[in-house]
Amino acid sequence: MHGCLLRRTGHVVAKPALEGALYSMDAEVTPNALEACMSRLRKRLSTAAADVHIRTVHGVGYALFAPVAADG
């Protein structure tokens, strides 16, 4: 899942694409499974003091944002 977000940093990744990355085709997925995974990922990023954040785009999916490097 985080690979999907990393490859599309700054862009929204649709929920079905994230669910497809998380689960096999025959896995039974509960309605809030993706939300629970995102919550755990956010906590891990916070604990690691990561310089990125995940934004929820309601009804669409999630996006990972990293700071923009300043040209110096």
Side-chain angles (χ1 to χ4, degrees), residues 16-66:
L18 291 168
E19 289 170 342
L22 280 175
Y23 307 103
S24 66
M25 296 295 264
D26 60 346
E28 187 172 324
V29 181
T30 60
N32 69 332
L34 181 58
E35 287 79 7
C37 287
M38 292 307 248
S39 176
R40 288 191 301 271
L41 181 55
R42 284 182 170 124
K43 286 178 186 176
R44 289 178 183 166
L45 289 170
S46 177
T47 299
D51 200 13
V52 296
H53 67 277
I54 298 170
R55 182 174 300 158
T56 301
V57 180
H58 293 282
V60 180
Y62 296 90
L64 179 74
F65 288 94

